[in-house]
Structure formats: C-alpha cells, structure tokens
Amino acid sequence: MAAKPSNRVILEQLRNGVAHFELVSSPVTSISANASLSVFTNENAHRFFARIGPTMQSSAAAALSKVESFRVHKVTGDGRCMFRALVKGMAINKSVTLSPREERENADELRMAIKEVLCDNEKERHQYEEAIIAITVEEPLKRYCQRIGWPDFWGGESELLVLSKLCRQPIVVYIPEHEHTNSGYGSGFIPIAEYGADFGKGSKKAKAKKAVRLLYSGRNHYDLLV
C-alpha cells in the first residue's frame, strides 16, 4: 500500500489543482474526528483530500430536502454578522436579551476566542485540525491570524467548526428556499450544514443544548432563525 501523503503535500496538490476527490453516497466521518495530523486513515481513502458526501447524520441528512419554517431575526451587517447571529441565538436559547452593545462585544469575544485557540495556543490548535485545513487551503495561517484580529472580519464555515466545539453548541445553517430552488418562490428555509450535533444529544456529563439556527443568504450575510 502506498504511503499516505502529509497534509503539506495534500494542500500543495490542492493549490496546484491536482488533488483527487472521491464522491461517496454514504455518510462519512468528519476529518476532525482524528486528533493526529494524519487525518486520512481509511485504507482506500489515503489518496483523497476530501470526500464529498452527506455531512449530517442519516436522520438529519433527509432534512436537507425538507423545507422548514422559522421567523427571521435580522442581524446588523457590519462584518460581525455571523458572530452576532450566534451570540444572539445562544442568548435567546437562555431567555436572555442582549443590548446592541452587549451583542457587539460578545460577538467580538467569540472572534477573539477563535484567534486564541488557533493562533495563540499551539496546544489547543491541534483540536481544530479540520478548521486549520480549511483555512490554509485559502491562505497561510499567519495571514489568517492577522485578519481575524480585525473587527470587521467575516466569519464562515471554518469559524463555525471551531465555535461549535469551543462553545459546545449545536449549530445548523440554512439557506432561503427560493435560493435553493432558483425559482424565486418559497418562503421557507432549507438546512445545508450542521456543526456540533453531538452537543444537542446530551450525556451524563452535560445536558443537551438547543441548536442555534443561522440563515445564510447569497449576499454573504448571516441572520438568525428562531
């Protein structure tokens, strides 16, 4: 069996457009489940950077085609929108109302918490390998660590990967129904990604947490769904 390439080699293949992908129909385990840097442990998967398949558990995967109904809580679009939506959602789940100032400050605290675990703490960083891979495909980690210090830094999937684990918070991202169908019709919402699902199940050590539901629009903006 051929030796498995290192992450450095895989990322270089991605940048050069020569990385291989495998399309699978069954649910696959997140690469973040492995603590070591050698995240490709499947005997038949060592040649592939990623597997494209359902990212949610089988029961939730069926919901990808299911239209759901929620109320939209608008969030200020100042570059902090994802962080704002998340702190607002976590507060509502606890029956807490945040002032505009508290919402902004808490959003900035989330952003800086990501910076601390990914950029300032090497011992913590290895726990978020999936996010690190997603980040470094786009840019060097050093550059990312500079940008995330900016108050108008835009959050996305990499940050949700970290925050779901850091806050032990289940998060579901939706898109508007009309964007999914491309028909311009439909007032519902369709789930497209789920993070931290295990934290919504509960255990002997911790109670189940209610998911925060984020609405992502084609305008690169996040609002909150309740």
Side-chain angles (χ1 to χ4, degrees):
M1 182 176 67
K4 289 180 285 187
S6 67
N7 282 358
R8 183 184 299 275
V9 171
I10 292 167
L11 293 176
E12 189 63 30
Q13 289 175 346
L14 264 181
R15 295 188 182 99
N16 294 333
V18 296
H20 294 281
F21 292 81
E22 178 183 15
L23 183 64
V24 298
S25 58
S26 59
V28 295
T29 303
S30 167
I31 61 176
S32 62
N34 298 291
S36 68
L37 292 180
S38 297
V39 296
F40 309 97
T41 58
N42 185 289
E43 179 177 342
N44 297 317
H46 68 271
R47 296 180 293 107
F48 303 98
F49 166 75
R51 287 181 168 189
I52 303 172
T55 58
M56 307 171 85
Q57 297 300 323
S58 56
S59 59
L64 289 174
S65 60
K66 177 184 177 183
V67 176
E68 301 179 34
S69 297
F70 300 98
R71 287 183 293 112
V72 179
H73 278 223
K74 292 293 185 180
V75 173
T76 303
D78 61 354
R80 300 178 177 90
C81 61
M82 191 209 75
F83 302 107
R84 282 181 178 271
L86 187 54
V87 298
K88 191 172 185 176
M90 290 191 291
I92 288 176
N93 284 352
K94 296 177 181 178
S95 300
V96 173
T97 301
L98 299 176
S99 69
R101 179 178 177 178
E102 289 172 328
E103 181 183 302
R104 184 185 69 250
E105 290 178 348
N106 288 357
D108 285 343
E109 287 176 4
L110 282 188
R111 176 173 51 80
M112 296 309 292
I114 296 172
K115 182 178 185 296
E116 181 176 346
V117 298
L118 294 188
C119 305
D120 303 334
N121 191 326
E122 291 186 10
K123 292 182 179 180
E124 292 281 344
R125 186 184 304 160
H126 77 276
Q127 299 182 41
Y128 305 96
E129 182 65 19
E130 187 174 8
I132 292 294
I133 291 175
I135 290 166
T136 53
V137 166
E138 300 292 334
E139 61 182 332
L141 184 61
K142 182 178 180 179
R143 171 61 175 165
Y144 173 87
C145 290
Q146 293 173 337
R147 292 196 308 107
I148 198 172
W150 302 343
D152 59 350
F153 174 87
W154 286 19
E157 182 173 41
S158 299
E159 292 69 40
L160 289 174
L161 285 167
V162 175
L163 291 174
S164 61
K165 188 172 183 178
L166 189 62
C167 300
R168 301 182 65 83
Q169 175 64 56
I171 303 167
V172 185
V173 178
Y174 293 75
I175 58 171
E177 178 186 2
H178 65 82
E179 289 188 10
H180 175 71
T181 59
N182 293 320
S183 64
Y185 298 99
S187 57
F189 307 97
I190 297 174
I192 60 169
E194 183 176 33
Y195 308 88
D198 287 345
F199 301 122
K201 299 175 183 178
S203 66
K204 294 181 179 180
K205 296 182 179 180
K207 294 181 179 179
K209 283 191 174 182
K210 184 178 180 181
V212 171
R213 305 179 189 279
L214 306 181
L215 174 63
Y216 178 75
S217 73
R219 299 182 299 277
N220 294 324
H221 179 72
Y222 286 89
D223 287 309
L224 176 66
L225 296 176
V226 295

